[in-house]
């Protein structure tokens, strides 16, 4: 395959059992553009990789490209940009994903460079989106990415050398330069060689300077600085300093930023929400993490469907945090709690499992029923208080476990009006399903 050639569309975007879920037996998917129900003239099959369901949204890649080009020309005449047809399905109004997005981002670049070669800002935006879908570990994609990075820097330099632009090099132009440097840094970071990491470090540092100069770029500045810290740690052969409190604040701020900018249904927001939930979980805030992932998975399933990347990812993350790890004191091993029995006096557990990992080797798993006094919930486990006499107002209240000392857990409650309390293990029960 020559440099710059793209791979053929893989089977995850052609008509298949997964992409035709919920299609009635008497409905045959057809291209919504040419109405053909078979391959196009070049033998390429119908594709669909958006949020459409049923029989809607299927099309030939060649038809989508022709439609996007025509729509782009018309849109440019009226608005000065080519619209969203290369990136967004006009039927469900959601972004394309996976291989379909990969091919359409390339088609978008080729179209703009052919039709509007002098619109530097639009070219840069297209190149940024293209390089973001490339796999830096693939030889073909890496070669294309190197070319794109060089091209973006060259376009920026050309714009800055233009006397008419020099007077206006602020605002959106300065931000574009910062974003280009940031994206070039990300690509080189993805390649991962020492030379590329040095290049990425330089790009991120320059980007931080520009974001700081612009002001009101807190998220971009914070993200670039975190990448700088990661690269410096790698180059110096030391572990990255993962401050859980700092990571939690950063993840929360990112999620809130994208929530305000794109809305709760956008895949970027859902992904940032996942990362925030992960930070909550790592900070032993299991209840909040699970609540957030329940919300994200439900939103994604409703808007994008059960087979969309966002739904699959959020659902998988939710499944992970719902695993209730417990330490079996008598065995000095970690297990998964499954359920209570014997009127809540015994807990069924399955394991052993590694302390920091999910699951285990099924053939080595044991299923045991143990007294609750031998079963200690892991930090961050959702629990409910019961059987308290002096503090009866806490009975039925849900919280998560934090510190543990001599058979007593520090519980932080979901109800923000309740102060944390120390509760004995026998007065706690694991919550397997949050209400």
């Amino acid at each position: 395959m020559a440099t710059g050639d793209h791979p053929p569309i893989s089977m995850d975007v052609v008509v298949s059992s997964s992409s035709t879920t919920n299609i009635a037996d008497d409905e045959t998917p057809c291209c919504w553009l040419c109405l053909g129900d078979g391959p196009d003239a070049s033998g390429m099959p119908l594709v669909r990789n958006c949020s459409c369901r049923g029989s809607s949204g299927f099309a030939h890649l060649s038809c989508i490209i022709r439609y996007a080009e025509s729509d782009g020309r018309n849109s440019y005449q009226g608005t000065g940009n080519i619209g969203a047809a290369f990136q967004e399905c006009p039927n469900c109004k959601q972004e394309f994903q996976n291989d379909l997005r990969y091919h359409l981002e390339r088609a978008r670049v080729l179209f703009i460079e052919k039709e509007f070669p002098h619109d530097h800002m639009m070219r840069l935006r297209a190149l940024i989106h293209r390089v973001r879908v490339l796999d830096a570990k693939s030889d073909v994609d890496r070669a294309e990415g190197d070319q794109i990075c060089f091209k973006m820097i060259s376009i920026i330099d050309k714009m800055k050398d233009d006397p008419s632009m020099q007077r206006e090099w602020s605002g959106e132009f300065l931000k574009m330069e910062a974003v280009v440097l940031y994206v070039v840094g990300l690509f080189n970071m993805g390649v991962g060689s020492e030379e590329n990491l040095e290049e990425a470090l330089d790009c991120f540092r320059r980007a931080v300077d520009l974001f700081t100069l612009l002001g009101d770029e807190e998220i971009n500045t914070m993200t670039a600085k975190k990448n700088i810290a990661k690269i410096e740690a790698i180059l110096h052969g030391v572990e990255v300093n993962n401050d859980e409190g700092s990571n939690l604040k950063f993840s929360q701020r990112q999620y809130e930023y994208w929530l305000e900018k794109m809305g709760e249904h956008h895949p970027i927001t859902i992904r940032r929400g996942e990362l925030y939930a992960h930070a909550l979980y790592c900070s032993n805030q299991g209840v909040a993490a699970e609540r957030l992932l329940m919300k994200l998975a439900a939103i994604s399933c409703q808007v994008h469907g059960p087979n969309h990347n966002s739904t699959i990812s959020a659902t998988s993350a939710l499944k992970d945090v719902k695993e209730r790890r417990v330490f079996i004191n008598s065995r000095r091993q970690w297990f998964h709690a499954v359920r209570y029995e014997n009127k809540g006096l015994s807990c069924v557990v399955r394991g052993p499992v590694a302390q920091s990992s999910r699951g285990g080797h099924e053939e080595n798993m044991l299923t045991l029923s143990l007294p609750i006094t031998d079963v200690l919930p892991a930090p961050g486990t959702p629990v409910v208080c019961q059987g308290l006499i002096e503090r009866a107002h806490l009975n039925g209240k849900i919280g998560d476990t934090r510190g543990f000392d001599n058979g007593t857990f520090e519980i932080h409650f979901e109800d923000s009006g309740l102060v944390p309390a120390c509760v004995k293990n026998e007065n706690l029960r694991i919550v397997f399903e949050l209400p």
Side-chain angles (χ1 to χ4, degrees):
M1 185 179 297
T3 299
D5 288 351
H6 53 77
I9 288 187
S10 64
M11 291 301 292
D12 67 335
V13 292
V14 305
V15 176
S16 63
S17 59
S18 61
S19 60
T20 56
T21 300
N22 299 325
I23 298 179
D25 292 339
D26 59 349
E27 290 185 278
T28 301
C30 67
C31 176
W32 68 270
L33 289 158
C34 74
L35 303 183
D37 59 3
D40 65 9
S42 64
M44 296 296 289
L46 291 170
V47 298
R48 181 179 72 179
N49 224 319
C50 53
S51 298
C52 284
R53 280 167 265 187
S55 61
S56 66
F58 288 97
H60 300 109
L61 175 62
S62 56
C63 291
I64 298 174
I65 291 174
R66 281 195 296 271
Y67 167 79
E69 289 177 344
S70 175
D71 183 76
R73 292 187 191 97
N74 294 332
S75 179
Y76 194 84
Q77 290 178 358
T79 65
N81 64 68
I82 65 167
F86 280 101
Q87 296 176 293
E88 181 182 287
C89 172
N91 299 298
C92 65
K93 306 301 182 185
Q94 301 300 324
E95 292 183 350
F96 296 117
Q97 58 174 351
N98 298 332
D99 281 10
L100 185 54
R101 180 187 174 197
Y102 178 96
H103 289 270
L104 288 174
E105 291 292 5
R106 184 172 191 270
R108 180 188 182 204
V109 169
L110 295 174
F111 171 68
I112 290 173
E113 292 191 331
K114 178 183 177 182
E115 301 276 339
F116 312 104
H118 302 298
D119 192 327
H120 298 313
M121 292 293 279
M122 189 163 67
R123 285 181 67 197
L124 287 170
R125 284 191 288 269
L127 290 167
I128 286 169
H129 282 280
R130 175 57 182 165
V131 80
R132 296 294 285 121
V133 302
L134 298 179
D135 178 5
K137 300 301 184 183
S138 159
D139 290 341
V140 173
D141 281 7
R142 183 166 63 250
E144 182 184 351
D146 287 338
Q147 294 176 359
I148 290 176
C149 290
F150 177 79
K151 186 180 292 186
M152 290 192 294
I153 296 296
S154 298
I155 293 172
I156 290 291
D157 289 342
K158 183 177 180 180
M159 293 170 67
K160 292 172 72 175
D161 288 341
D162 185 339
S164 64
M165 296 290 294
Q166 291 175 359
R167 296 188 299 271
E168 302 176 8
W169 201 254
S170 61
E172 64 170 329
F173 300 111
L174 193 63
K175 182 172 182 178
M176 178 58 79
E177 181 181 7
V179 172
V180 164
L181 287 168
Y182 179 82
V183 170
V184 172
L186 282 180
F187 179 77
N188 279 281
M189 190 176 178
V191 174
S193 71
E194 184 174 347
E195 181 181 356
N196 287 100
L197 290 175
E198 293 284 3
E199 177 69 19
L201 195 59
D202 178 65
C203 288
F204 285 133
R205 285 170 175 165
R206 291 163 61 193
V208 166
D209 290 341
L210 294 178
F211 285 136
T212 303
L213 183 63
L214 284 163
D216 196 30
E217 292 291 334
E218 178 191 8
I219 294 298
N220 288 327
T221 303
M222 290 172 64
T223 307
K225 286 183 175 179
K226 285 183 74 70
N227 289 334
I228 289 172
K230 289 179 183 178
I231 294 172
E232 288 178 336
I234 294 171
L235 291 174
H236 291 92
V238 298
E239 289 189 13
V240 179
N241 181 21
N242 286 317
D243 181 347
E244 289 184 358
S246 176
N247 287 340
L248 180 60
K249 291 178 181 179
F250 173 71
S251 299
Q252 180 180 5
R253 184 69 189 91
Q254 274 202 322
Y255 174 56
E256 291 171 346
Y257 171 83
W258 289 107
L259 185 62
E260 181 180 352
K261 184 175 181 178
M262 307 297 289
E264 66 179 8
H265 68 277
H266 197 279
I268 292 178
T269 307
I270 294 170
R271 177 56 183 159
R272 293 302 171 187
E274 268 189 69
L275 295 175
Y276 177 35
H278 177 73
L280 286 167
Y281 186 75
C282 290
S283 299
N284 298 331
Q285 299 183 46
V287 174
E290 191 167 329
R291 294 276 191 214
L292 177 56
L293 287 169
M294 289 167 63
K295 174 184 174 183
L296 296 172
I299 290 172
S300 188
C301 188
Q302 179 181 13
V303 175
H304 303 292
N307 298 318
H308 193 275
N309 287 353
S310 296
T311 308
I312 293 171
S313 182
T315 303
S316 176
L318 177 60
K319 180 181 178 181
D320 284 346
V321 302
K322 289 181 73 172
E323 289 182 341
R324 307 302 192 219
R325 284 190 307 113
V326 292
F327 185 73
I328 306 306
N329 202 29
S330 61
R331 300 177 67 93
R332 313 305 292 174
Q333 289 177 308
W334 290 90
F335 278 63
H336 284 150
V338 178
R339 65 182 182 276
Y340 286 108
E341 61 182 15
N342 190 24
K343 298 182 179 180
L345 297 179
S346 301
C347 183
V348 177
V349 298
R350 186 162 173 76
V353 296
Q355 178 179 355
S356 59
S357 66
R358 302 289 171 202
H361 297 292
E362 192 67 26
E363 63 272 14
N364 298 325
M365 288 281 194
L366 301 173
T367 300
L368 308 172
S369 180
L370 302 171
I372 59 171
T373 52
D374 195 26
V375 179
L376 305 177
T381 300
V383 293
V384 61
C385 296
Q386 68 171 42
L388 295 170
I389 298 176
E390 294 183 359
R391 295 173 294 173
H393 66 289
L394 296 179
N395 289 328
K397 301 299 182 182
I398 293 175
D400 32 48
T401 56
R402 303 292 173 91
F404 176 76
D405 182 35
N406 196 27
T408 300
F409 285 94
E410 180 183 339
I411 306 300
H412 287 236
F413 294 98
E414 186 174 25
D415 184 344
S416 59
L418 296 173
V419 298
C422 292
V423 182
K424 291 183 178 180
N425 185 40
E426 55 262 35
N427 294 115
L428 298 172
R429 292 295 182 274
I430 296 169
V431 179
F432 291 101
E433 292 288 341
L434 290 176

